[in-house]
């Protein structure tokens, strides 16, 4: 007889054998007991959590006739009647399973729906089970909507999917939806113990724990890995063999890495990573296992009164590490491990990436290394601080002799060792000290002094900051006042003409600037004289282009450009008009009652520069 894998051999036959989905079992059992049966069910969840198994148990519950052949709808199928045995064997005529991944078209769905018009042959109900229903095409979904909404009384739909987001809402609204959750590692481990006890296979508890964690919530994956581990270990399950098969990192290595990081021992961290490289163990798995340990450490730190299982070595070691590492470092290292897994693919080598992720914690740890670095920096700065003083003492005799040679008759040259008005530590060439002006005091009267020698250095003391309030800023506008405009004789005419040219885009670039910045000082029938302040605007090219633009506007004249002070030009008039509009807008805003109330009640302020006139 051929070998039957554990995942099929120990598939649950009734709701009592189904583990990890108590919420689904309770809802379906109550519905079957009370005869409150929906016509369509949708089971969602990840792979290997029991979607197909629940569908088959539901089909048996609907069609079970009991051991004596007189039974009805029940939440506990007998498992011995023809309907139950045929469904378990996959040969029940009225139970149809359709794999939507390979039969996703409208023709396959229509072929299934054509059977809906015929009553059941053997059982009480026809059950159509469509697995991976999200793989159906939109046309196939539309084809089954009407039958799914109002099927015959003898027909039940069971849909299963791992991606309910891809199922149209029109289908979701017609089904009773149950979400099958991933199973906890403890639940998987307990089920594996029962299965291995029935198979009479010896197994270590740590080995089963590794298998349960590697399954990631899927019971089918756990049983498949158990099959593989039994073959790998020659009928026995030991932790070392299972760890080698899975490529998992030894938990002692994970604890050693965390302990080294808690102590700030970078050498130990690098050595542990080198050992992982030599053993060929996964860097991503290392970070994942470290994140799991750190999570339990964080819980232990947040709830110190939580009981620790003394029989679990990992739990005891985790509690010890939780006491050694501060809580903020635990949170930081957990974040580094979680985000570091995404960085491994960017590193030149995954072990290089692992090393950098782990060493990233050390710069944030306060320790003797930081103090030694600061002390070394201070010691290195001391000679540099004394160097200017030594140089000043060496230069003092020379400076004194130079001052004596240049001093006027009757004046005594200053002593080389006499203190200066400034700090004695800042010595150097002869220094002329200026008095410090304190804030709020009038400036001292200037005193006549002899001219300083050409090589003397004037030291300006730093003005001490006064504890006086800052000068009030402008409440709204921060733009400087525009230049004053002195209207000229031709100002109105020239401003109107330039505005017309600019609006029509007859002048651009430098030509436009020449027109805006120039003042029309003289105008005759055939010659106009413009005055500008910048020589760059008086170029012949710009003058000729402005002359051509004036000719197109109906003023065929010769232009002459001269340099001089400009008192009235279009640019200044535009700036003055803009300032007036700004002031008007600010005054209107400040006079608004709501604005005044906000400023009075809540201390609101108008952000400078935020008011723009319309």
């Amino acid at each position: 007889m051929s070998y039957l894998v554990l995942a099929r051999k120990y598939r649950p036959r009734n709701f009592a054998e189904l583990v990890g989905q108590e919420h689904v079992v309770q809802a379906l059992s109550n519905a079957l007991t009370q005869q409150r049966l929906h016509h369509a069910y949708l089971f969602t969840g990840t792979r290997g959590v029991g979607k197909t198994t629940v569908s088959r148990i539901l089909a048996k519950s609907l069609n079970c006739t009991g051991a004596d052949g007189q039974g009805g709808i029940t939440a506990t199928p007998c498992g011995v009647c023809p309907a139950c045995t045929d469904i378990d064997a996959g040969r029940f005529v009225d139970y149809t399973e359709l794999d939507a991944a390979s039969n996703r078209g409208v023709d396959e769905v229509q072929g299934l729906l054509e059977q809906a018009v015929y009553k059941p042959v053997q059982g009480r109900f026809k059950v159509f089970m469509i697995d991976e229903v999200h793989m159906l095409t939109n046309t196939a979904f539309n084809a089954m909507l009407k039958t799914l909404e109002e099927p015959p009384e003898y027909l039940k739909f069971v849909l299963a999917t791992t991606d309910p987001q891809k199922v149209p809402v029109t289908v979701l609204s017609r089904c009773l939806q149950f979400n099958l959750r991933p199973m906890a590692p403890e639940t998987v481990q307990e089920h594996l113990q029962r299965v291995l006890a029935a198979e009479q296979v010896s197994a270590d508890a740590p080995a089963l724990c590794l298998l349960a964690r590697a399954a990631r919530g899927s019971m089918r994956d756990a049983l498949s890995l158990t099959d593989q581990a039994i073959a790998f270990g020659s009928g026995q399950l030991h932790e070392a063999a299972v760890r080698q098969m899975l490529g998992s990192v030894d938990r002692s290595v994970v604890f050693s890495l965390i302990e080294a990081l808690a102590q700030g021992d970078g050498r130990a961290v690098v050595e542990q990573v080198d050992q992982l490289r030599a053993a060929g163990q996964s860097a991503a798995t290392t970070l994942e296992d470290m994140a799991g340990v750190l999570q339990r450490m964080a819980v232990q730190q947040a709830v110190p009164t939580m009981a620790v299982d003394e029989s679990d070595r990992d739990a005891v070691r985790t509690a010890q590490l939780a006491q050694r590492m501060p809580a903020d470092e635990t949170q930081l290292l957990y974040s580094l491990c979680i985000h570091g897994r995404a960085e491994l693919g960017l590193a030149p080598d995954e072990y290089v990436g692992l090393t950098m992720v782990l060493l990233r914690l050390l710069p944030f740890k306060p320790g003797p290394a930081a103090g030694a670095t600061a002390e070394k920096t201070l010691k290195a700065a001391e000679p540099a601080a004394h160097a200017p003083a030594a140089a000043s003492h060496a230069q003092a005799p020379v400076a004194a002799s130079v001052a004596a040679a240049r001093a006027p008759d009757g004046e005594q040259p200053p002593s080389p060792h006499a203190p200066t008005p400034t700090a004695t530590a800042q010595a150097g060439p002869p220094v002329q000290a200026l008095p410090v002006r304190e804030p709020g005091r009038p400036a001292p009267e200037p005193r006549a002094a002899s001219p300083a020698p050409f090589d003397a250095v004037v030291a300006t003391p730093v003005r001490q900051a006064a504890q006086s309030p800052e000068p009030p800023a402008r409440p709204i506008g921060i733009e400087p006042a525009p230049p004053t405009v002195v209207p000229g004789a031709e100002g109105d005419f020239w401003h109107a003409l330039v505005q017309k040219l600019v609006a029509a885009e007859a002048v651009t670039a430098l030509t436009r600037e020449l027109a805006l910045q120039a003042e029309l000082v003289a105008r005759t029938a055939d010659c106009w004289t413009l005055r500008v302040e910048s020589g760059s605007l008086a170029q012949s090219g710009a003058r000729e282009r402005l002359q051509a633009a004036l000719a197109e506007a109906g003023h065929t004249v010769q232009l002459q450009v001269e340099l001089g002070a400009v008192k009235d030009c279009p640019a200044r008039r535009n700036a003055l008009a803009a300032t007036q509009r700004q002031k008007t807008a600010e005054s209107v805003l400040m006079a608004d009652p709501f604005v005044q109330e906000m400023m009075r009640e809540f201390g609101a302020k108008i952000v400078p520069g935020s008011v723009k006139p319309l």
Side-chain angles (χ1 to χ4, degrees), residues 415-444:
S415 173
H417 300 288
T420 61
T422 58
T424 57
Q426 298 179 353
V431 177
Q432 178 183 353
L434 299 180
V436 179
R437 179 181 178 183
E438 298 294 336
R441 295 184 181 180

Side-chain angles (χ1 to χ4, degrees), residues 483-486 513-521 530-539 561-569 571-572:
T484 305
V485 176
V486 180
E513 292 302 316
L514 172 60
L516 290 172
Q517 302 292 341
E519 178 183 5
L520 182 60
V521 295
L530 302 179
R531 180 181 298 165
V532 295
E533 294 181 345
S534 175
S536 60
L537 297 176
Q539 299 179 8
V561 180
E562 62 180 25
L563 296 178
V566 176
K567 298 181 180 180
D568 184 10
C569 65
R572 295 192 180 187

Side-chain angles (χ1 to χ4, degrees), residues 30-215:
N30 293 338
L32 290 168
T33 302
Q34 301 173 8
Q35 304 291 311
R36 300 178 65 88
L37 303 176
H38 203 271
H39 60 269
Y41 298 88
L42 176 63
F43 298 130
T44 65
T46 185
R47 76 274 180 268
V49 294
K51 299 185 294 296
T52 304
T53 299
V54 173
S55 173
R56 294 181 180 180
I57 296 175
L58 179 61
K60 289 193 294 183
S61 299
L62 293 173
N63 292 286
C64 180
T65 59
D68 55 358
Q70 302 298 322
I73 299 175
T74 177
T76 56
C78 65
V80 296
C81 66
C84 292
T85 55
D86 289 348
I87 291 176
D88 288 335
R91 57 174 181 265
F92 192 63
V93 177
D94 296 322
Y95 178 72
T96 304
E97 289 188 3
L98 178 68
D99 180 22
S102 55
N103 302 276
R104 58 193 307 264
V106 63
D107 295 335
E108 290 80 358
V109 173
Q110 286 180 346
L112 179 67
L113 296 178
E114 287 176 358
Q115 305 177 21
V117 297
Y118 303 107
K119 288 188 175 183
V121 177
Q122 295 179 342
R124 193 176 296 110
F125 291 94
K126 271 192 172 184
V127 180
F128 290 166
M129 193 275 177
I130 305 178
D131 198 7
E132 300 297 337
V133 69
H134 67 276
M135 299 293 290
L136 291 178
T137 62
N138 291 331
T139 308
F141 275 122
N142 294 332
M144 64 182 296
L145 284 180
K146 186 59 178 178
T147 307
L148 183 64
E149 183 178 6
E150 297 178 354
E153 60 181 7
Y154 52 81
L155 178 61
K156 303 295 181 184
F157 281 95
V158 179
L159 312 180
T161 177
T162 56
D163 195 357
Q165 287 76 18
K166 295 183 179 180
V167 179
V169 293
T170 52
V171 175
L172 295 177
S173 64
R174 289 166 167 82
C175 300
L176 211 61
Q177 184 173 348
F178 294 92
N179 182 26
L180 279 71
R181 305 165 185 164
M183 302 180 194
E186 295 77 12
T187 303
V188 176
Q189 184 175 352
E190 292 176 1
H191 187 67
L192 291 181
Q193 289 176 348
R194 292 193 294 267
V195 170
L196 294 177
E199 290 289 312
Q200 298 182 355
V201 176
S202 62
D204 297 340
L208 295 181
C209 183
L210 289 174
L211 292 173
R213 291 176 179 172

Side-chain angles (χ1 to χ4, degrees), residues 310-584:
E310 299 295 338
S311 61
D312 189 351
R313 294 176 300 175
D314 292 348
V316 174
R317 189 74 182 275
T318 301
Q320 294 174 353
L321 289 175
Q323 297 177 356
R324 296 180 184 178
M325 178 174 284
D328 55 346
E329 292 185 11
T330 302
Q331 296 291 339
L332 176 60
L333 184 56
Y334 176 81
S335 179
L336 291 176
C337 292
I338 291 297
H339 294 90
R341 295 180 61 188
E343 300 178 8
L344 295 180
L346 305 177
D349 178 72
E350 65 172 349
Y351 298 100
V352 173
L354 175 62
T355 304
M356 294 304 298
V357 169
L358 298 180
L359 293 181
R360 195 174 299 165
L361 175 68
L362 299 183
F364 297 96
K365 290 181 64 65
T373 303
E375 183 179 358
K376 182 178 179 181
T377 305
L378 292 176
K379 289 182 178 179
E382 288 178 0
H386 293 294
S392 65
H393 288 296
Q395 296 175 359
V398 179
S401 60
V402 173
R406 296 182 178 178
D409 296 337
E411 286 192 9
Q412 182 69 21
S415 173
H417 300 288
T420 61
T422 58
T424 57
Q426 298 179 353
V431 177
Q432 178 183 353
L434 299 180
V436 179
R437 179 181 178 183
E438 298 294 336
R441 295 184 181 180
E445 295 295 332
R447 295 183 300 175
S450 59
F454 68 94
D455 56 351
V457 179
V458 178
T460 304
V462 179
R463 177 180 298 178
Q464 302 296 330
Q467 300 297 331
S468 58
E470 297 181 357
R474 294 189 59 188
I476 301 179
I478 59 174
E479 295 81 3
T484 305
V485 176
V486 180
E490 304 291 345
D492 296 339
F493 168 77
W494 180 242
H495 178 260
L497 179 59
V498 171
Q499 291 293 98
K500 181 179 178 181
L501 294 177
V502 171
E505 297 184 356
V507 289
T508 58
L510 187 60
T511 307
R512 179 183 58 193
E513 292 302 316
L514 172 60
L516 290 172
Q517 302 292 341
E519 178 183 5
L520 182 60
V521 295
R523 177 167 61 110
T524 62
D526 55 353
C527 181
W528 292 3
T529 302
L530 302 179
R531 180 181 298 165
V532 295
E533 294 181 345
S534 175
S536 60
L537 297 176
Q539 299 179 8
S540 59
R543 176 178 55 81
E544 293 174 357
R545 287 191 293 271
L546 179 57
Q547 183 174 308
L550 291 174
E552 293 180 359
H555 303 279
T556 307
V557 294
Q558 195 75 17
L559 285 183
Q560 294 181 357
V561 180
E562 62 180 25
L563 296 178
V566 176
K567 298 181 180 180
D568 184 10
C569 65
R572 295 192 180 187
R573 291 197 175 204
N574 294 340
L576 182 60
T579 302
Q580 294 296 335
R581 291 196 302 271
Q582 180 70 24
K583 290 182 178 179
T584 303

